Amino acid sequence: MNLTQHPGMPRRPRVRSRVLLASLAAAASLTGQVVAMAPAASAHGPGPSGPKPAPAAQQKLNPPDKDKDRDKDHGGNADDDGEDWGKEKDKDKKKPPLVVHGLQQFTSDNTFIPPAGVTSVFVQAWGAGGGGGGGGGGSRGRVEARAYNGGNGGGGGAGGFTWCAIQVKPQTAYGVDVGDGGDGGAGGAAGTMGGPGSTGSSGTAGTASSLTRSSDSTLLLNATGGAGGGGGGGGGLVDGANGAGGPGGTGWCSTGGVNLNGGNGSSNGTGGVAPDGIVGLPPNTVVGGNGGERGAGGESARPGGPGKDGGNGYVVIYW
């Protein structure tokens, strides 16, 4: 019996089975590729099949764009302006308060208050000048040859000078005293018949200019006034002697600085001259007063002339 042929049983083609198996294998292979690709796809979205990257890795993958954020806030290009803007901001924090430079002058007693931000000032101060001495009166006599003139009054000394830097506290009061010029001396009277003339009066000294810290009355600087000139002698049997000139004032500052004496008055009646500073002095300030003229002797003898007043002091503060 031939078992290889059975007409009643149809033979399944082996080719179709092989094709089906190949198709299933291809499908399985394709499905595996899709599953393997799923984690990569989840990096762009919340796909459930893929693991999420760690926060540090996420920052490395997508670092924040700081430059763009800074540009949005400050309206500039991050590459060109961001660094400059940061430096300018830091520079603004370190800037000291703006101080406007200024100058204040004093011709009479007052108070100085440093503006905000001012911690040091320069001060130039002059004391007042001394008054000139009065001239001496002439003697009177019937015989001209026996009548003599009085002497000239001596000139007053000029005020002293100081120039220095002083540490101050802003918005704090400092007293400024400005010296008063000394008074000139009165002239001597003329002599009576056959008598000598009178001696003129001496001038008075000028007073000091100074700066004082008001909180504790500490003297910071002082420029003294010049001395008054001496009065001229009265005429008698000889002409009267001229009065002595007054010495100039002195300067002193607690921080040193430049200190100068005022000019001395002279015995011929000329007042002392003021020391120079970097600012011009108002007219007739600081100088010593001239001495009064001598009175002529004779039958019509004359009294001596009065001395001139000394100039007032002067103070300048600048920063």
Side-chain angles (χ1 to χ4, degrees):
M1 181 176 173
N2 189 358
L3 296 178
T4 61
Q5 292 184 359
H6 295 281
M9 297 178 63
R11 181 179 296 178
R12 179 177 297 176
R14 292 183 178 181
V15 173
R16 291 183 59 187
S17 298
R18 291 174 182 172
V19 170
L20 180 60
L21 290 173
S23 298
L24 291 173
S29 175
L30 180 62
T31 303
Q33 290 178 7
V34 171
V35 172
M37 290 174 62
S42 68
H44 300 283
S49 60
K52 294 183 180 180
Q58 181 66 29
Q59 291 178 0
K60 291 181 180 179
L61 290 173
N62 297 306
D65 197 341
K66 296 181 180 179
D67 292 341
K68 289 183 179 180
D69 294 340
R70 185 175 55 203
D71 291 343
K72 290 180 182 179
D73 294 338
H74 304 292
N77 184 286
D79 295 335
D80 298 334
D81 301 332
E83 186 175 354
D84 293 340
W85 177 85
K87 289 181 179 179
E88 290 178 2
K89 185 176 180 182
D90 293 340
K91 189 183 295 183
D92 290 340
K93 289 181 180 179
K94 298 177 182 178
K95 279 184 178 179
L98 180 63
V99 176
V100 178
H101 296 283
L103 180 149
Q104 193 169 349
Q105 60 181 340
F106 299 86
T107 57
S108 60
D109 295 350
N110 211 319
T111 299
F112 171 67
I113 299 178
V118 174
T119 58
S120 178
V121 296
F122 289 102
V123 185
Q124 291 196 350
W126 289 262
S139 62
R140 184 176 182 183
R142 292 182 179 178
V143 180
E144 293 293 334
R146 296 178 60 183
Y148 295 90
N149 303 320
N152 292 315
F161 171 74
T162 184
W163 173 12
C164 58
I166 294 290
Q167 299 298 315
V168 295
K169 185 176 181 180
Q171 306 295 318
T172 301
Y174 293 82
V176 180
D177 290 324
V178 179
D180 295 321
D183 296 329
T192 59
M193 185 60 65
S198 299
T199 299
S201 300
S202 296
T204 61
T207 59
S209 295
S210 62
L211 181 69
T212 303
R213 187 166 55 223
S214 301
S215 59
D216 57 6
S217 300
T218 298
L219 183 65
L220 301 175
L221 61 85
N222 191 54
T224 65
L237 298 178
V238 294
D239 287 340
N242 291 335
T250 62
W252 170 85
C253 180
S254 59
T255 60
V258 176
N259 302 291
L260 300 174
N261 293 342
N264 297 328
S266 69
S267 60
N268 64 8
T270 304
V273 296
D276 289 332
I278 64 170
V279 294
L281 290 167
N284 303 319
T285 56
V286 186
V287 297
N290 291 333
E293 294 182 355
R294 63 187 181 183
E299 189 174 358
S300 300
R302 311 245 344 138
K308 303 296 183 182
D309 295 340
N312 293 332
Y314 185 59
V315 176
V316 176
I317 300 177
Y318 50 100
W319 57 93

